[in-house]
Amino acid sequence: LPRPGASVCEEARGPRMKIRLQSTFWTVLSRFTKPFLSAYYVFEADLSRQRPALPAKPGFFVRLYRGGADLQAAIDVLVPAGLGAADISARLKRGDLVAVGVIGDRLVAYTWASFTEARVKELGMKLCARADEVIQYDTLVLKPFRRHGLQFAVAEPVLDYAQQHGYARTLSWVNVLNRASCKNQRRWGKKVLLTAILLEIPGTQHRWTFSLGAPLDSVFSRVADPNC
């Protein structure tokens, strides 16, 4: 109940202030630790579990692209969104799939899935799909369309596709300081498989990568040049 003499606006101001303070805390923490420390949750999801029902998104349509036959169409739609044609080509030739969400004729979101591996540039490593696993990566919702649940809406057809083709689990990684994305992962019933941590000394080549919760090499493999 509102305290005596307090207006509704004054009572609402408290929760908003708390949210702003929390956001500021995580922003400051991210800026302070970024030069030498970063950590990522690897989330695992069971595709056999029922997913939360999504409200209808009027006018929102998702198309899936996979394989050489879809290459030029994928390039045409994704290059204006900032992806390079060579990168798109390499991913599709590897067998990856991309889901593109549009409203009208405008691209508003996309997400990728790999059935083999995905480069985690932040760690200088590769995340490797084990038997019956799909890796979700590189999801983007354009700024004017965020906070409308489109991250879920564009990913759902990918999960349906994977399940229909016999895959049982998905893997994805999220920076532990990205609170909104971590919250979204948990809303979908995903569980943290492990936490990958990168510690480095700025201005040097000294860097150490380790994990908590499960061995790092259970899902990761190192690359020849972690800086490329």
Side-chain angles (χ1 to χ4, degrees):
L1 293 175
R3 67 181 185 274
S7 69
V8 174
C9 291
E10 288 174 332
E11 289 297 325
R13 198 172 295 132
R16 288 200 298 268
M17 178 64 72
K18 182 178 180 181
I19 292 173
R20 285 197 293 268
L21 288 174
Q22 289 176 343
S23 177
T24 300
F25 170 78
W26 289 108
T27 299
V28 172
L29 184 61
S30 175
R31 291 175 179 174
F32 176 73
T33 60
K34 187 176 181 179
F36 62 91
L37 177 68
S38 54
Y40 296 84
Y41 291 133
V42 175
F43 285 96
E44 181 180 51
D46 181 352
L47 288 175
S48 67
R49 292 187 59 183
Q50 185 174 0
R51 297 190 293 273
L54 296 177
K57 306 293 180 184
F60 182 75
F61 174 77
V62 178
R63 179 176 176 185
L64 303 181
Y65 300 84
R66 190 183 186 192
D70 289 338
L71 176 56
Q72 190 57 52
I75 288 174
D76 291 343
V77 73
L78 288 168
V79 166
L83 292 180
D87 197 16
I88 297 168
S89 178
R91 294 179 182 188
L92 289 181
K93 289 180 179 178
R94 186 175 62 191
D96 292 7
L97 175 148
V98 61
V100 176
V102 298
I103 295 177
D105 59 356
R106 183 176 182 182
L107 181 150
V108 299
Y110 64 77
T111 189
W112 286 84
S114 174
F115 304 89
T116 54
E117 63 185 33
R119 181 71 179 271
V120 186
K121 292 183 179 179
E122 302 92 335
L123 297 173
M125 305 185 78
K126 291 189 297 184
L127 185 62
C128 303
R130 300 167 296 183
D132 301 329
E133 285 182 342
V134 177
I135 300 171
Q136 295 177 268
Y137 72 102
D138 197 7
T139 298
L140 176 70
V141 177
L142 300 186
K143 283 187 177 180
F145 302 94
R146 293 175 184 172
R147 300 186 182 279
H148 296 288
L150 296 186
Q151 179 180 351
F152 297 105
V154 74
E156 188 170 38
V158 176
L159 303 181
D160 290 340
Y161 178 96
Q163 193 169 15
Q164 291 163 8
H165 286 76
Y167 292 90
R169 295 176 303 279
T170 67
L171 296 177
S172 57
W173 71 94
V174 178
N175 191 301
V176 300
L177 296 179
N178 187 340
R179 311 304 295 173
S181 187
C182 289
K183 182 178 179 180
N184 285 338
Q185 301 295 314
R186 291 188 169 95
R187 281 181 60 192
W188 273 52
K190 297 184 179 183
K191 298 181 179 180
V192 175
L193 178 65
L194 61 83
T195 304
I197 300 171
L198 172 63
L199 180 64
E200 51 189 336
I201 300 177
T204 75
Q205 296 297 315
H206 298 295
R207 49 191 288 148
W208 300 268
T209 309
F210 57 97
S211 64
L212 303 173
L216 194 67
D217 60 7
S218 62
V219 291
F220 282 104
S221 67
R222 300 186 183 276
V223 296
D225 183 359
N227 297 311
C228 66

